[in-house]
Amino acid sequence: MKKHYGKIIVTIIVIAMIAVHYSFDLTTYENVEIFEMLIIFIMAFFFSLQYDKAKYYAKELIRKQTEMKRIFHHVDAAIWSKDLSTDSVEISKAIEVIFGIARQNLIEDPDAWINAVHPEDRHIYLEMRAELLSGKPSIREYRIISPADGTVKYIQDRGKPILDANGRLVKLIGVVLDMSDRRRVEESLLATKHQLESFLENNIDAIAICDKSGRVILINKAFEQMYGWSQSEILGKYMWELPTIPSDFKNEAAMLKNELQAGRSVREFETRRVRRDGSLINVILTGSPLPDAKGNMDGWSLIARDITERKRTEELLLQQEKLSIAGQLAAGVAHEIRNPFTSLKGFLQLSKSKLDQKHYDIMQSELSRINDIIDDFLQLAKPQRIKFQVTDLHAILKDIVAILETQAILNNIQILQDLQEQIPLITCEPNQIKQVLINLLKNAMEAMPHGGNILLQMKHEDEDRILLRIQDEGIGIAEDRLPKLGEPFYTTKDHGTGLGLMLCYKIIDHHKGRIEIRSELHKGTTVDIILPVQSA
């Protein structure tokens, strides 16, 4: 109704003017007097209405001001304003909770605010004030120290300049928020982030993190070192399509994918992975889903531990156990066979004149073979006193080549030598090293029924190791048979026992060295003997 006052008044005035115009003769004094009174009445009515309107707006203004003041003093944030023309300051009551200082003190003492600011952060406060006085809005975070208990708080101060119609700065207003809780959460999250980054970077296991689609988004340094691929070559690839998975392990990769996508963990899954150089390593995989804040799967982590050395150690221990058992068995068998064997040999000599020469030769050959096996048994079984001495490997190799050269020529085999001249003397048992080299060279010749070349190499690998290499051009050994070489009674020959190679392993092991065998079918075999310079 109040907003239509103007229209009502105008309407009344128009009606009155029309009525006067048609009803009164304004040439007579009496009618003029009546007309004037009518005008006065209308004006009085008009001013009455304006007075009521002013009273209404005044009440509304007081109500709004009261409401604004109530809001001003009851919001959690502290609100402040400064009138630059009067230098008066107004601050809401929330400032007392944030600063721990009476609101009136901050209003009356211009220095109370800056005195509460942490000494190391006062330059931040001064920068903000300078920006506001230059007419620019400003937001700053700084620390304050409560004078009540010395508590340090982080606050955010947001200020804005107010300009008049002429563009002059007349007032500053702002809001102060207590950011301490948020800051503590941020610092806690940042500390957790640094801890996780440190855990990833310093972990010896290869770790890969992928998003919920399965694409790798992070790998650690151990991943790069273990597999040989750089981060740029791995990021963005699907977990189950990584180049670390051997081509014949794709079914296994699909199984891992299904398990992880179903939200199930994969724990200590033993498998093999391929390095960039093509070599295979044994690993244990542990995969886990990574939930988001709502518990929904947001990605996966996959941890791979290289257990190649552990597997090698386990195999070595198993081999040692086999050797021990074989030695004990050999001692018993040799002892039991030796006596009846001697009797058989004696009776064969006595019956020589009664036997056909051909049959006698066959029996004599087989008995000699049995005697050789018994000697191998005894040598394997009995504890030997090894007398180490400083030895020149050149002299040993020279003797061995001289012994086997005639047999090599008869078999159309040439022994090529590539021997480094400056080789350190080593401490070893010369006869045992000779025995190892003779056994391995004989094996090489037996693997070359159609002749060929045998390369005998010797070089100083580094300060601590010497490499002896025997490389033939024989029939080779299948890859799946290589791990079994050196086991008791395992042989690739038609009439072998496996004891000769096992004895070689045992001798080199006693010299704190190792034997490595590589072979390819129809291309040949390479045997490396690595001996330490100080081997005893």
Side-chain angles (χ1 to χ4, degrees):
M1 179 69 183
K2 291 182 175 64
K3 66 181 179 180
H4 299 298
Y5 278 165
K7 294 180 181 178
I8 294 171
I9 292 170
V10 172
T11 303
I12 293 173
I13 292 174
V14 171
I15 294 171
M17 294 294 291
I18 293 172
V20 169
H21 177 75
Y22 288 102
S23 305
F24 295 95
D25 182 8
L26 296 179
T27 57
T28 61
Y29 177 80
E30 291 82 4
N31 288 340
V32 170
E33 195 173 61
I34 293 171
F35 181 75
E36 287 178 348
M37 290 184 65
L38 179 61
I39 294 300
I40 291 170
F41 171 76
I42 292 171
M43 291 178 64
F45 178 73
F46 173 77
F47 284 121
S48 173
L49 290 177
Q50 291 298 315
Y51 176 73
D52 289 343
K53 187 176 181 181
K55 281 179 63 178
Y56 168 77
Y57 282 125
K59 286 181 180 178
E60 280 295 300
L61 180 61
I62 292 170
R63 187 180 67 81
K64 293 288 185 184
Q65 287 178 337
T66 303
E67 185 177 339
M68 288 299 296
K69 186 168 286 190
R70 182 177 62 81
I71 294 172
F72 183 77
H73 287 294
H74 286 84
V75 293
D76 292 334
I79 304 171
W80 60 267
S81 67
K82 183 174 183 178
D83 191 326
L84 298 179
S85 60
T86 62
D87 209 30
S88 60
V89 176
E90 185 61 35
I91 307 175
S92 67
K93 291 180 179 179
I95 201 73
E96 296 181 350
V97 178
I98 296 174
F99 273 68
I101 301 175
R103 168 174 163 268
Q104 201 60 32
N105 290 347
L106 291 169
I107 293 174
E108 294 174 357
D109 184 1
D111 295 327
W113 191 300
I114 193 170
N115 289 338
V117 177
H118 194 288
E120 295 178 2
D121 293 352
R122 285 177 185 169
H123 68 283
I124 300 175
Y125 171 78
L126 295 173
E127 288 172 2
M128 177 181 179
R129 189 164 69 177
E131 282 188 2
L132 290 173
L133 291 174
S134 68
K136 299 176 183 177
S138 183
I139 301 175
R140 290 287 192 279
E141 288 190 13
Y142 51 84
R143 291 169 294 173
I144 60 171
I145 302 175
S146 173
D149 56 7
T151 303
V152 176
K153 293 184 178 181
Y154 288 88
I155 67 167
Q156 185 183 84
D157 199 351
R158 296 168 171 257
K160 184 178 180 181
I162 303 297
L163 308 178
D164 63 10
N166 297 320
R168 290 177 301 179
L169 183 64
V170 295
K171 195 173 186 179
L172 301 176
I173 61 173
V175 178
V176 176
L177 300 170
D178 186 350
M179 309 297 289
S180 301
D181 290 341
R182 193 194 78 176
R183 192 62 178 256
R184 278 192 289 270
V185 171
E186 288 176 349
E187 289 177 350
S188 176
L189 290 174
L190 187 61
T192 302
K193 178 176 178 288
H194 289 325
Q195 290 167 2
L196 288 174
E197 288 176 348
S198 177
F199 170 78
L200 286 172
E201 288 306 306
N202 297 300
N203 203 306
I204 62 173
D205 296 331
I207 301 176
I209 306 295
C210 62
D211 60 22
K212 57 186 176 184
S213 71
R215 292 185 183 273
V216 178
I217 57 175
L218 177 68
I219 62 172
N220 64 347
K221 288 181 181 177
F223 188 102
E224 295 178 297
Q225 293 167 355
M226 182 183 294
Y227 294 118
W229 280 280
S230 66
Q231 190 174 82
S232 60
E233 294 172 303
I234 295 297
L235 297 187
K237 295 185 182 297
Y238 286 107
M239 182 78 77
W240 44 88
E241 295 178 356
L242 292 179
T244 59
I245 303 173
S247 57
D248 53 343
F249 279 62
K250 297 302 180 184
N251 291 336
E252 173 198 292
M255 182 274 292
L256 287 173
K257 172 187 173 182
N258 293 335
E259 289 294 305
L260 292 172
Q261 285 185 332
R264 294 187 288 268
S265 297
V266 177
R267 298 191 179 278
E268 298 193 358
F269 179 76
E270 188 171 328
T271 183
R272 303 184 81 186
R273 287 293 179 261
V274 64
R275 292 170 49 84
R276 185 167 193 158
D277 60 10
S279 60
L280 290 172
I281 57 174
N282 298 94
V283 298
I284 285 182
L285 299 181
T286 299
S288 304
L290 300 175
D292 60 14
K294 296 181 180 179
N296 299 318
M297 190 182 70
D298 195 41
W300 313 313
S301 69
L302 194 66
I303 302 174
R305 174 166 294 179
D306 186 352
I307 59 167
T308 306
E309 284 301 321
R310 192 183 83 183
K311 293 283 287 186
R312 190 175 290 126
T313 302
E314 289 174 353
E315 290 171 2
L316 182 60
L317 291 173
L318 182 62
Q319 185 76 352
Q320 292 291 341
E321 184 67 22
K322 288 181 179 179
L323 287 173
S324 176
I325 294 171
Q328 295 172 23
L329 177 62
V333 170
H335 178 73
E336 293 298 327
I337 292 176
R338 177 68 77 182
N339 291 336
F341 172 77
T342 303
S343 300
L344 286 172
K345 196 171 183 181
F347 280 114
L348 181 62
Q349 291 291 337
L350 292 174
S351 305
K352 182 178 180 180
S353 58
K354 301 178 182 179
L355 294 174
D356 180 75
Q357 184 63 37
K358 182 180 178 181
H359 293 165
Y360 173 82
D361 291 342
I362 292 172
M363 294 180 69
Q364 185 66 35
S365 174
E366 291 303 314
L367 287 174
S368 295
R369 174 171 164 72
I370 292 172
N371 189 58
D372 290 341
I373 294 173
I374 292 172
D375 288 341
D376 285 342
F377 273 153
L378 291 174
Q379 191 166 6
L380 178 68
K382 67 182 179 183
Q384 301 176 33
R385 291 186 61 187
I386 302 176
K387 186 178 181 181
F388 288 95
Q389 61 189 59
V390 177
T391 305
D392 182 3
L393 285 175
H394 280 284
I396 290 179
L397 293 176
K398 183 179 179 182
D399 291 343
I400 290 170
V401 172
I403 293 170
L404 297 176
E405 196 166 25
T406 303
Q407 183 180 347
I409 293 171
L410 291 173
N411 289 280
N412 196 27
I413 293 171
Q414 185 176 4
I415 300 176
L416 306 176
Q417 299 182 56
D418 178 17
L419 310 178
Q420 184 177 328
E421 293 184 5
Q422 300 298 325
I423 295 291
L425 300 176
I426 70 166
T427 305
C428 68
E429 211 296 324
N431 290 328
Q432 288 195 340
I433 298 298
K434 285 181 182 179
Q435 183 179 357
V436 169
L437 292 170
I438 289 171
N439 281 347
L440 295 176
L441 281 167
K442 280 186 174 181
N443 287 346
M445 287 190 286
E446 290 172 5
M448 299 167 61
H450 304 296
N453 296 324
I454 295 176
L455 177 61
L456 180 60
Q457 284 184 314
M458 178 172 65
K459 58 182 177 179
H460 194 190
E461 282 275 276
D462 51 41
E463 293 183 0
D464 302 323
R465 298 185 305 168
I466 291 175
L467 171 67
L468 294 171
R469 175 171 291 165
I470 299 171
Q471 186 173 343
D472 66 50
E473 299 173 348
I475 58 176
I477 304 169
E479 185 178 355
D480 60 335
R481 305 185 74 176
L482 289 175
K484 297 182 180 180
L485 295 179
E487 292 185 4
F489 309 110
Y490 183 82
T491 180
T492 59
K493 303 175 187 177
D494 293 335
H495 302 290
T497 63
L499 297 177
L501 188 57
M502 185 177 72
L503 194 59
C504 292
Y505 273 98
K506 186 175 180 181
I507 290 172
I508 297 302
D509 183 61
H510 285 164
H511 283 75
K512 299 178 183 177
R514 68 179 188 274
I515 295 177
E516 296 177 354
I517 301 178
R518 302 183 303 280
S519 187
E520 191 172 350
L521 280 175
H522 312 301
K523 289 190 177 181
T525 301
T526 300
V527 180
D528 288 344
I529 304 169
I530 296 98
L531 290 170
V533 173
Q534 297 295 330
S535 57

